[in-house]
Amino acid sequence: MEQQTETKAEQKSARTGIIDCDVHPYPRNTEEIRSYMKQPWRDRYNGGGRGFFGNPVQGDRVDARPPQGGPSGSDPELLRKQLIDEYGHAYAILMPRAFCNLHPDPDFGTAIAAAFNDWLADTWLDKYNADGVFKGSITVNTQDPQAAAREIERWAGHPHFVQVMTDSGARAPFGQRQYYPIYEACEKFGLPFAIHPGTDGMGINVQPSPGFPTHYIEWHTCLSLGFQSHLVSFITEGVFERFPGFKIALVEGGVSWLAPLMWRLDAEYKALRSEVPWLKRKPSEYLRDHVRITSQPLERPDNDNHLLQIFDMMDAEHILMFSSDYPHWDFDSPTRAFPKLPESLRRRIFYENALEFYKL
Amino acid sequence: MEQQTETKAEQKSARTGIIDCDVHPYPRNTEEIRSYMKQPWRDRYNGGGRGFFGNPVQGDRVDARPPQGGPSGSDPELLRKQLIDEYGHAYAILMPRAFCNLHPDPDFGTAIAAAFNDWLADTWLDKYNADGVFKGSITVNTQDPQAAAREIERWAGHPHFVQVMTDSGARAPFGQRQYYPIYEACEKFGLPFAIHPGTDGMGINVQPSPGFPTHYIEWHTCLSLGFQSHLVSFITEGVFERFPGFKIALVEGGVSWLAPLMWRLDAEYKALRSEVPWLKRKPSEYLRDHVRITSQPLERPDNDNHLLQIFDMMDAEHILMFSSDYPHWDFDSPTRAFPKLPESLRRRIFYENALEFYKL
């Protein structure tokens, strides 16, 4: 908080530490979100009813629970101490957990999204952000793309919202046409679209596996598969040709699958390109201009060289952005999650890729 | 066919060429299958009604269509000429395409499976197989596991059936308990269980992606994701602890995703092992004893070294088995699908791994 008295320009040039692309702020309690809702949503919202798995490790870092009460990630001072100050973060990209896209009623989902955006703007982004370290995500309800586009427009001028976000749960892959009002708004306002795990197989959303998995470990391991389907859909549907300025961030969906999936898709494209005549390039060639992927939970093979080889295959130098997932149970420490990297690559992953992607 | 006069023992020792783990024999026409059915199935079966995509490249090698008519893969003489003789195959593992596990009526599915098994035994395995090059797969309907177990028992003594097979489409991941009668029978009779793409999202089966994909290229690319879910399910449910002699073959589901998926699952296991206390080893450690993966369609990155690195990461020396997928459109030629391999590795992939797995 030492930088509170600096000017904004000074702050901008001064912030050269880590950029952490997945940090979770939580409301202190459900009432905090309800206070931003009109009726009938205020009475209906209870903050819950979204999950069907019990996470056996409770879902958060126990040491991140505020001593005065409230959930982990609900105390900006504690978060600054444990994350921003501890590791010298330049920016933390905040990803609230609204779980709004699983309700049968799209108006309810949209009301939840709006309330979370109001809350995030009023609290974290305005009240606890004198040094500008916190950058926010505009939560949208993908079930009602036109309403989502209006919500993006409502926040587009805000100095600290840097992207739009959704949970990965869906009833249709994200490359399909019903979603295009969202992407049009993202492109218009220069905001990337981030996908974060959540709501898969919950509420009205389908389970992206051959039927429902049994345990949390199975569900959580396979969350990365839904991301792969969404990415293939974005590319093959031609979203990046239709919206040339549109960019996506795949957050917390795994890392090492990227190159193998693109090889497979490129091979299919050789024979099947007649189905997708709108593509002007090989599928994998859309990544550099349009797709970034965040690091946590980073796979760690026993042999560090295997991960470095994977980084080479996937062009991590331009595609990968560091994230910690604070305050969740599977937090990746900036100092311990990665094997030793060449300094130039480390700087791309921990800072420059996100700096450019979010135009910070 | 020169070896027709040799004794069986001589044939066995003489067959040292390629073992091809995914070759598709087709009936000449629907009547050939119907003739093995009792009523009411004989009247109901029309061979179709399974797909919802049109494959824009028709699904088969045009040059594999018999000049006298009938579909590609329906003429044993042409298949021998184009595959067995052309590449010096020692064995071809035949995978019929029954598409039986998508019908609402489990008895219908079971009748289709049985008719395909009778047909395969009577024709390819008995009538055109004097040299023993053709090894068959027992098709089972996973919808009725008890009936499937009886079907396995019916064929277990046959000299040329070497495995049990199913399509990848399902209403529940294959590690779940309802399937165990199948795995118990496989273990009892020493037959591996092979999963081949097909019936995903068709009939009663769910689509293993976040909703239905739009194009064939998207559906076909993402078929590998359903395999990944099934594999995670087999491991986390403890199937390999419950049935220590049970083995699976993942056929035509992709290759390069294996190591990244296991890294992810191993990492989850570190924190979440309390959910799956029946596991005695790290998830990835079950692969060597229980899982094999076939090569086609082999991913081919621009840089051959990347594929060789992937082979190292996934222990291809012990896990990978060659397959061509003859006579399908995306056939992998034994001489062109792979980059240059060290001879010892080539021999493991093209011959020894399958020889040991199928006890040939």
Side-chain angles (χ1 to χ4, degrees):
Chain A
M1 301 280 278
E2 302 93 321
Q3 296 173 11
Q4 279 187 15
T5 54
E6 295 179 21
T7 69
K8 198 174 172 194
E10 284 169 337
Q11 288 158 21
K12 190 157 187 171
S13 59
R15 303 214 69 86
T16 54
I18 292 165
I19 301 178
D20 186 337
C21 295
D22 187 20
V23 175
H24 297 295
Y26 280 84
R28 291 185 170 82
N29 50 56
T30 304
E31 190 48 46
E32 211 172 359
I33 296 301
R34 287 160 57 127
S35 70
Y36 287 100
M37 288 176 164
K38 295 187 180 124
Q39 293 293 20
W41 316 121
R42 184 178 292 195
D43 280 356
R44 281 176 64 182
Y45 184 68
N46 64 9
R50 58 189 176 247
F52 60 97
F53 280 112
N55 179 333
V57 290
Q58 307 300 325
D60 64 350
R61 270 175 55 173
V62 175
D63 69 333
R65 293 177 189 165
Q68 71 276 23
S72 294
S74 67
D75 179 348
E77 296 302 328
L78 184 58
L79 186 147
R80 279 183 177 274
K81 179 162 171 274
Q82 290 189 330
L83 189 70
I84 310 299
D85 298 344
E86 174 77 19
Y87 300 106
H89 275 35
Y91 299 102
I93 312 295
L94 302 181
M95 310 281 286
R97 308 302 299 116
F99 301 100
C100 65
N101 72 341
L102 49 63
H103 288 279
D105 180 346
D107 292 328
F108 192 12
T110 299
I112 295 170
F116 265 85
N117 293 331
D118 281 311
W119 162 75
L120 189 68
D122 279 359
T123 55
W124 291 73
L125 298 186
D126 290 349
K127 199 164 159 193
Y128 302 105
N129 202 24
D131 56 358
V133 68
F134 294 136
K135 300 298 173 190
S137 307
I138 303 166
T139 297
V140 295
N141 174 22
T142 46
Q143 257 184 280
D144 188 340
Q146 286 76 12
R150 289 193 295 273
E151 186 67 17
I152 294 167
E153 183 156 16
R154 185 160 80 93
W155 294 106
H158 191 287
H160 294 305
F161 275 117
V162 296
Q163 71 180 355
V164 172
M165 75 169 284
T166 185
D167 285 326
S168 53
R171 289 189 291 182
F174 282 145
Q176 292 186 6
R177 298 172 197 186
Q178 58 271 40
Y179 299 112
Y180 291 179
I182 300 174
Y183 310 150
E184 192 178 8
C186 286
E187 185 186 49
K188 179 177 174 186
F189 298 111
L191 295 165
F193 182 72
I195 304 172
H196 185 281
T199 75
D200 299 84
M202 297 173 186
I204 58 167
N205 292 325
V206 297
Q207 172 61 38
S209 67
F212 283 92
T214 306
H215 300 100
Y216 181 87
I217 185 174
E218 184 185 355
W219 179 78
H220 200 257
T221 298
C222 292
L223 280 175
S224 67
L225 306 180
F227 277 73
Q228 297 177 54
S229 292
H230 283 311
L231 177 59
V232 171
S233 175
F234 274 118
I235 294 174
T236 58
E237 295 274 6
V239 172
F240 302 127
E241 286 293 342
R242 188 182 287 257
F243 305 107
F246 179 63
K247 296 167 195 267
I248 63 173
L250 305 176
V251 179
E252 201 182 341
V255 172
S256 301
W257 51 261
L258 185 63
L261 181 71
M262 288 300 108
W263 299 338
R264 183 172 170 96
L265 181 56
D266 280 349
E268 304 268 335
Y269 180 68
K270 277 187 194 169
L272 300 170
R273 63 177 68 193
S274 67
E275 273 196 311
V276 286
W278 37 78
L279 297 192
K280 304 281 194 299
R281 296 187 266 173
K282 268 202 310 190
S284 64
E285 290 176 8
Y286 288 96
L287 294 186
R288 176 84 79 98
D289 288 343
H290 295 279
V291 180
R292 295 295 177 271
I293 191 164
T294 69
S295 60
Q296 184 278 339
L298 185 68
E299 301 89 354
R300 282 300 298 270
D302 293 337
N303 182 342
D304 283 344
N305 280 334
H306 287 168
L307 188 62
L308 297 177
Q309 289 165 352
I310 289 279
F311 283 174
D312 181 40
M313 297 173 194
M314 68 180 279
D315 187 20
E317 185 182 349
H318 297 100
I319 302 291
L320 187 62
M321 308 192 296
F322 172 76
S323 60
S324 73
D325 197 31
Y326 181 95
H328 289 165
W329 64 280
D330 48 354
F331 171 79
D332 269 358
S333 158
T335 55
R336 294 191 300 180
F338 282 70
K340 183 154 177 53
L341 300 177
E343 178 53 27
S344 60
L345 178 60
R346 200 200 64 79
R347 194 168 162 76
R348 294 292 313 169
I349 296 171
F350 280 74
Y351 183 68
E352 290 170 356
N353 283 339
L355 193 79
E356 293 163 11
F357 188 70
Y358 291 118
K359 302 181 199 129
L360 296 171
Chain B
M1 303 280 279
E2 303 94 318
Q3 296 172 13
Q4 279 186 14
T5 54
E6 296 178 21
T7 68
K8 196 171 173 196
E10 284 168 340
Q11 289 160 18
K12 189 158 186 171
S13 59
R15 303 214 70 86
T16 54
I18 292 166
I19 301 178
D20 185 336
C21 296
D22 187 21
V23 175
H24 296 296
Y26 281 84
R28 290 185 170 84
N29 50 56
T30 304
E31 190 49 45
E32 212 173 359
I33 296 301
R34 287 160 55 125
S35 69
Y36 287 101
M37 289 176 163
K38 294 189 181 120
Q39 295 292 18
W41 316 121
R42 184 178 293 194
D43 280 356
R44 282 176 63 182
Y45 183 67
N46 65 8
R50 59 187 176 245
F52 61 96
F53 281 112
N55 179 333
V57 289
Q58 306 303 325
D60 64 351
R61 271 175 54 173
V62 175
D63 69 332
R65 292 177 190 165
Q68 71 276 24
S72 293
S74 66
D75 179 348
E77 297 301 329
L78 185 58
L79 186 146
R80 278 182 178 275
K81 179 163 172 274
Q82 289 189 330
L83 189 70
I84 309 298
D85 299 343
E86 174 78 18
Y87 300 106
H89 276 36
Y91 299 101
I93 312 295
L94 301 182
M95 310 280 287
R97 309 302 299 118
F99 302 101
C100 66
N101 72 340
L102 48 62
H103 290 280
D105 179 346
D107 291 328
F108 191 13
T110 299
I112 295 171
F116 266 85
N117 293 330
D118 281 311
W119 162 76
L120 190 68
D122 278 359
T123 54
W124 292 73
L125 298 186
D126 289 351
K127 201 166 159 190
Y128 302 106
N129 202 25
D131 56 357
V133 69
F134 294 136
K135 299 299 173 189
S137 307
I138 303 166
T139 297
V140 295
N141 174 22
T142 46
Q143 257 185 280
D144 188 340
Q146 286 76 12
R150 289 192 295 273
E151 186 67 16
I152 293 167
E153 185 157 14
R154 185 161 81 94
W155 295 107
H158 191 286
H160 294 306
F161 275 119
V162 296
Q163 71 181 355
V164 172
M165 75 169 284
T166 184
D167 284 327
S168 53
R171 290 189 292 183
F174 282 145
Q176 293 185 6
R177 297 171 199 187
Q178 57 270 39
Y179 299 112
Y180 291 180
I182 300 174
Y183 310 150
E184 192 178 9
C186 286
E187 186 186 47
K188 180 177 173 187
F189 297 112
L191 294 165
F193 182 71
I195 304 172
H196 186 282
T199 75
D200 298 83
M202 297 173 185
I204 58 167
N205 292 325
V206 298
Q207 172 60 39
S209 67
F212 283 91
T214 306
H215 300 99
Y216 181 87
I217 186 175
E218 183 185 356
W219 179 77
H220 201 255
T221 299
C222 293
L223 279 176
S224 68
L225 306 180
F227 277 74
Q228 297 179 53
S229 292
H230 284 312
L231 177 59
V232 171
S233 175
F234 274 119
I235 294 173
T236 57
E237 295 273 6
V239 172
F240 302 127
E241 286 293 342
R242 189 182 287 256
F243 305 106
F246 180 62
K247 295 166 196 267
I248 63 173
L250 305 176
V251 179
E252 201 181 341
V255 172
S256 300
W257 51 261
L258 185 63
L261 181 72
M262 288 300 108
W263 299 338
R264 183 172 170 95
L265 181 56
D266 281 350
E268 303 268 334
Y269 179 68
K270 277 187 193 168
L272 301 170
R273 64 177 67 193
S274 68
E275 273 196 312
V276 286
W278 38 77
L279 296 191
K280 303 283 193 297
R281 296 188 267 172
K282 267 201 312 190
S284 64
E285 291 176 7
Y286 289 96
L287 294 186
R288 178 84 79 98
D289 289 342
H290 296 279
V291 180
R292 294 296 177 273
I293 192 163
T294 69
S295 60
Q296 184 277 338
L298 186 67
E299 301 89 355
R300 281 301 297 270
D302 294 337
N303 181 342
D304 283 345
N305 280 334
H306 287 168
L307 189 62
L308 297 177
Q309 289 165 351
I310 288 280
F311 283 174
D312 181 40
M313 295 173 194
M314 69 180 280
D315 188 19
E317 185 183 348
H318 297 99
I319 301 291
L320 187 62
M321 308 192 296
F322 172 76
S323 60
S324 72
D325 197 30
Y326 181 95
H328 289 164
W329 63 280
D330 48 353
F331 171 79
D332 269 358
S333 158
T335 56
R336 294 192 300 182
F338 283 70
K340 184 155 175 52
L341 301 177
E343 179 52 27
S344 60
L345 177 60
R346 200 201 63 79
R347 195 168 161 74
R348 294 292 313 169
I349 295 171
F350 280 73
Y351 184 67
E352 291 171 355
N353 282 339
L355 193 79
E356 293 162 11
F357 188 68
Y358 291 118
K359 302 185 198 123
L360 295 170

